[in-house]
Amino acid sequence: MPPPSFRIDLSPCIPVRCGKHIEYVGLRELLTDAHRIDDLALPLPPARSGLYRVLAAICAAVTELDDPDQPIKEWLDHRAELLRREDGFDTDAVHAYFDADPGAFDLFHPTRPWWQDAALAVQCPKRSGINSLIYGRAAGRNLVWFNPRHTDTDPQPVPTREALWSLLAYHYYGPSGRATTRTVDGVTSGQLKAGPLRSTVSFHPRGRTLYETLLLHQTPYRGDDQAPGSDACPWQEPPAHPLRTPHAATWPKRLLTGRSVHAALLVPDASGEHVTDAYLTWATQHPLLEATDPYLVYDIDPKAPAERRRSPRRANADHALFRALPALALAGDEHRPGCRPEAFTTINSLPKDTRARLRVWVCGFDQEGQVNNRIWYTSLTPPIWPLAQENDPVKASRIVECCAAAETLGAALRRQADQAWKDTGLTPPPAKGGGKRDTSPWAGQALAGYWPRAEQAFWELLDDTRSAYGVFAATAITALSETTRDALNRLPKAGPALARAVQSLRRAGTPPDDTLRPTKGPHAQP
């Protein structure tokens, strides 16, 4: 039998949505028909977020938007011209990209499998197990009762296209800590560093078609001089030596696809239609490359040490998604360096019809630093341009004011619920590491009821003149009252304790003197 092969440029492995239908296509068809495809339809959101970055890197090469020497005005004009096209990407350019090195897109190529390292079969003394790759399966000492069909004693093969999705998620969101041991030039280690997107939330611009979406994912080059030909994706060159200093995160290919610190090798069955096992280990022992991912929000903490002052915003499944809107509505400046992701900083240069329909797909993956994955969450915003500071500074300031009020009352609700629990004489919550105590049951339940109500109130307040602080204070009081209704009849001390909590929440509902005022004019952008 011939050796197994699975060409991701030809095999139907990527689900896409066309109207009401879901189809599977290879990368070639995906790009040549991008103007007829609505969007990606991967059921694994972290893989979809990673694939957007892969496709953005390929799109930059196909459209010649990857020229670092092109003046920014010419670059913006070129992208705007492409966005006005109705026939999508140049078909010849797409085929030329894949035909330049067709073997590079074979998942099971004997020496250069796509985004894998064939040397792991020799450098690793044992395999990692297919369950360690596939999200949702238990592996090692993890609990199995959530999915009892998949255990390490009886690992089931996975269709190759699904293994591809998990491979994408592994490179971007992979864990830190212990992994399969690898020996390179006498150096043996089984320690992993966290993937570049682990525990983060991504903001992806979305257009009317996948073609438009991929062009909206492009960002102009703003760095120093970059040597011609120095930029490449991992599948366009041999795997980097694990012990050498990695290449710099050049724009746009290495920035989007070249920062993985994980190495993998899939083990197929004889047909290549299923993956039966995998090697999963470290790709480098060097620190993660410093770079600004264009789809992340970076928060600035001026009080933190210099090396930790700037950090990507962490995903938090407990947060209502409307709390991310200020990062999109406000244009960044020297006073707000942690606002809009870089992919949205050239929003003014887009054609008017594209700009008016621009939406944002939000993908957060709430994870612990090492192995545990808590939950992923997604959301699709309404068109954001009418809410942006450049278009409606009053509405943008109102968004910021409402979000600040919601955050302030959410924090107050947590404090007052904890204090009421303590004053009622109930058992203190267990202590966390460092001596800090967890939130009380009342605080956890009240916040779970507060944030869905706060989201509804937020959208009502955008076109309302009521005090946002007063509305969210009433929302917090309602959430606390519903949480503690039964306790009032059972616990003698609950009434006075909760009355004090309600009074404190009402005081917190008084807006501060420095509440943001509407911005008087649009913020200049390129």
Side-chain angles (χ1 to χ4, degrees):
M1 293 182 62
S5 176
F6 193 93
R7 291 268 300 273
I8 63 173
D9 61 323
L10 300 175
S11 301
C13 54
I14 306 297
V16 296
R17 183 168 55 81
C18 302
K20 297 181 179 180
H21 304 286
I22 301 295
E23 303 175 7
Y24 283 82
V25 298
L27 292 183
R28 287 183 191 241
E29 186 178 354
L30 182 149
L31 290 172
T32 56
D33 289 351
H35 57 295
R36 292 190 285 266
I37 295 172
D38 292 334
D39 200 10
L40 302 177
L42 275 75
L44 184 64
R48 180 175 170 186
S49 179
L51 184 57
Y52 273 134
R53 290 168 167 86
V54 170
L55 293 174
I58 296 176
C59 170
V62 167
T63 58
E64 298 182 348
L65 286 170
D66 61 346
D67 181 4
D69 295 326
Q70 189 173 33
I72 187 169
K73 185 180 185 307
E74 292 182 15
W75 189 97
L76 293 170
D77 290 344
H78 180 35
R79 184 179 65 165
E81 180 184 351
L82 290 168
L83 283 165
R84 294 188 184 97
R85 290 183 55 165
E86 297 181 356
D87 55 350
F89 294 116
D90 185 309
T91 301
D92 292 337
V94 171
H95 288 303
Y97 177 85
F98 291 105
D99 290 340
D101 191 1
F105 292 92
D106 188 345
L107 273 184
F108 305 132
H109 192 282
T111 60
R112 294 177 55 214
W114 186 81
W115 212 350
Q116 300 165 73
D117 192 340
L120 299 189
V122 176
Q123 296 172 350
C124 295
K126 63 178 183 179
R127 297 173 179 177
S128 307
I130 187 61
N131 290 355
S132 297
L133 175 69
I134 306 302
Y135 284 86
R137 291 190 180 186
R141 298 180 181 178
N142 294 337
L143 302 177
V144 300
W145 53 69
F146 295 114
N147 198 339
R149 294 188 302 111
H150 299 295
T151 66
D152 280 349
T153 57
D154 186 25
Q156 299 299 310
V158 63
T160 298
R161 66 189 182 192
E162 295 181 22
L164 168 64
W165 307 341
S166 288
L167 177 66
L168 286 165
Y170 177 71
H171 276 301
Y172 286 102
Y173 295 89
S176 61
R178 290 293 302 173
T180 298
T181 300
R182 177 185 192 182
T183 300
V184 182
D185 294 347
V187 176
T188 299
S189 177
Q191 286 297 121
L192 273 177
K193 300 181 186 300
L197 299 184
R198 190 165 183 85
S199 306
T200 64
V201 54
S202 290
F203 300 85
H204 293 275
R206 177 175 162 184
R208 291 163 291 183
T209 65
L210 182 59
Y211 171 74
E212 200 170 81
T213 294
L214 295 183
L215 289 174
L216 291 172
H217 271 69
Q218 304 301 311
T219 56
Y221 183 60
R222 299 180 185 272
D224 298 326
D225 290 342
Q226 182 171 298
S230 63
D231 188 44
C233 293
W235 51 89
Q236 294 179 304
E237 56 188 2
H241 193 285
L243 302 181
R244 294 175 187 160
T245 303
H247 295 291
T250 50
W251 171 91
K253 302 181 184 71
R254 285 201 175 100
L255 172 63
L256 296 174
T257 66
R259 298 176 65 223
S260 174
V261 292
H262 293 67
L265 179 62
L266 305 181
V267 180
D269 62 9
S271 68
E273 294 299 315
H274 291 81
V275 173
T276 61
D277 213 329
Y279 297 88
L280 305 171
T281 186
W282 54 277
T284 179
Q285 294 294 304
H286 292 274
L288 182 68
L289 293 173
E290 287 294 326
T292 298
D293 186 290
Y295 318 114
L296 299 184
V297 170
Y298 287 86
D299 292 318
I300 309 296
D301 182 359
K303 298 180 180 179
E307 64 274 11
R308 298 199 307 271
R309 191 165 296 164
R310 178 177 177 271
S311 60
R313 182 165 297 176
R314 292 183 62 87
N316 189 336
D318 293 334
H319 283 196
L321 290 174
F322 77 86
R323 297 159 79 177
L325 277 179
L328 303 173
L330 290 182
D333 58 28
E334 65 275 12
H335 303 297
R336 288 189 297 266
C339 284
R340 190 176 290 171
E342 191 173 300
F344 299 91
T345 58
T346 56
I347 193 171
N348 282 341
S349 69
L350 299 173
K352 185 176 180 180
D353 57 336
T354 302
R355 193 168 56 209
R357 293 173 173 84
L358 173 64
R359 305 173 77 183
V360 182
W361 183 71
V362 182
C363 176
F365 198 176
D366 193 336
Q367 303 171 282
E368 292 183 359
Q370 293 190 333
V371 176
N372 293 335
N373 301 314
R374 185 181 178 196
I375 193 171
W376 54 65
Y377 56 90
T378 64
S379 180
L380 184 64
T381 73
I384 66 166
W385 174 244
L387 307 176
Q389 182 180 10
E390 300 92 329
N391 191 58
D392 191 339
V394 174
K395 182 65 67 66
S397 290
R398 181 64 167 167
I399 287 174
V400 176
E401 178 188 356
C402 290
C403 285
E407 296 281 1
T408 297
L409 270 300
L413 176 60
R414 180 189 296 272
R415 289 193 304 272
Q416 297 308 320
D418 280 341
Q419 187 63 47
W421 174 274
K422 179 181 178 181
D423 292 347
T424 304
L426 297 171
T427 305
K432 289 182 174 180
K436 294 182 179 180
R437 294 197 174 276
D438 203 349
T439 56
S440 65
W442 281 357
Q445 294 167 24
L447 287 169
Y450 170 75
W451 283 115
R453 291 184 176 90
E455 182 157 15
Q456 181 179 352
F458 169 82
W459 291 112
E460 294 172 356
L461 283 166
L462 290 188
D463 297 310
D464 200 326
T465 58
R466 290 177 294 167
S467 165
Y469 284 83
V471 171
F472 288 119
T475 303
I477 291 170
T478 299
L480 180 62
S481 300
E482 291 192 359
T483 296
T484 59
R485 183 179 295 123
D486 293 340
L488 284 172
N489 299 324
R490 294 185 294 103
L491 304 171
K493 295 182 179 180
L498 290 168
R500 289 192 293 272
V502 168
Q503 287 300 319
S504 295
L505 289 173
R506 285 182 177 145
R507 287 194 296 271
T510 302
D513 293 337
D514 60 347
T515 298
L516 282 171
R517 298 287 183 262
T519 305
K520 294 183 178 180
H523 185 88
Q525 288 193 19

